[in-house]
Amino acid sequence: DPSFASPYQGWGCETYAEGGVNMGFCVHDSACRACAASCNLECGFASGREWTNVLALRGAVRTTHFSSEGGEFLAVSQSLCSGPGLGERTACEASGIVQPQSAILQWDGLAFGPLLTSKPGGGRVSHQYSMRAQAGACRDFVPVPLQGEGLMLASVSLTRGVDMYAWDFNVVQGLEGVTAVDPVGVSGRSGVLCLSFRI
């Protein structure tokens, strides 16, 4: 967590790593979760750790790590057209295999999982499902920082070619009692959502 500051001198997570000035003080400074990579040995993440498995990721062929606005993300390219005889576009499309939507996961301090959202008053909560990109038989994701545009995420797909996604989130505040959100229509970079409220 790049925003973490130790209670001693306000130093960052890197100071808790081996050889750092705060090495050995992860537990004392409550830095285990925020500085999981630097504190892995002291907090018990490395030896005997139960690794988490992200469910429902069929046909994962490649992972791409990228950082954005203080968050760490993992784009998982998914394709079911990587077997013998399916490595070309025409063969993949002719097979009739429905391709999974590729997942984008976020690091929560202990594991990669569904994207996090901010809560009113601070803190973060995890969404129930991973973010998905309709990238066809996806082979790779490439983060592309553009001057004045922010971060774009390019998907390289056997069946769809190259698609570009703007990695930008709008913040909506003040909606209470929302029970469902359904996409109604998408045009270019903007979409329409239908919100259901509990009265």
Side-chain angles (χ1 to χ4, degrees):
D1 181 356
S3 65
F4 178 81
S6 76
Y8 178 74
Q9 301 286 338
W11 290 328
C13 287
E14 68 280 357
T15 63
Y16 291 92
E18 187 174 345
V21 296
N22 283 323
M23 180 182 162
F25 289 95
C26 292
V27 174
H28 181 267
D29 292 350
S30 300
C32 287
R33 185 173 178 87
C35 302
S38 297
C39 294
N40 62 359
L41 291 174
E42 183 183 345
C43 298
F45 299 145
S47 59
R49 175 180 180 177
E50 290 186 27
W51 291 95
T52 57
N53 183 18
V54 178
L55 301 175
L57 295 183
R58 299 179 306 131
V61 294
R62 177 169 289 168
T63 58
T64 303
H65 169 264
F66 64 98
S67 301
S68 176
E69 298 181 18
E72 302 297 324
F73 300 91
L74 195 65
V76 182
S77 307
Q78 293 175 250
S79 171
L80 299 179
C81 284
S82 55
L86 295 175
E88 295 180 14
R89 179 181 183 158
T90 53
C92 180
E93 290 175 339
S95 73
I97 298 172
V98 177
Q99 298 300 315
Q101 295 180 3
S102 294
I104 301 176
L105 310 172
Q106 185 174 7
W107 181 255
D108 69 3
L110 296 175
F112 280 101
L115 268 57
L116 303 173
T117 186
S118 299
K119 295 189 309 186
R124 290 182 166 183
V125 295
S126 177
H127 289 276
Q128 188 172 1
Y129 300 101
S130 301
M131 180 180 197
R132 297 295 183 146
Q134 293 181 355
C138 190
R139 299 289 199 217
D140 198 4
F141 281 98
V142 180
V144 182
L146 294 177
Q147 184 94 21
E149 289 290 323
L151 182 67
M152 301 290 284
L153 194 59
S155 67
V156 181
S157 171
L158 179 66
T159 54
R160 292 179 55 115
V162 176
D163 282 331
M164 296 290 283
Y165 302 92
W167 191 255
D168 183 36
F169 298 97
N170 294 328
V171 176
V172 178
Q173 296 180 13
L175 297 178
E176 294 184 27
V178 176
T179 59
V181 179
D182 295 309
V184 176
V186 176
S187 172
R189 289 178 64 174
S190 60
V192 177
L193 298 176
C194 177
L195 303 175
S196 301
F197 289 90
R198 179 182 64 239
I199 299 178

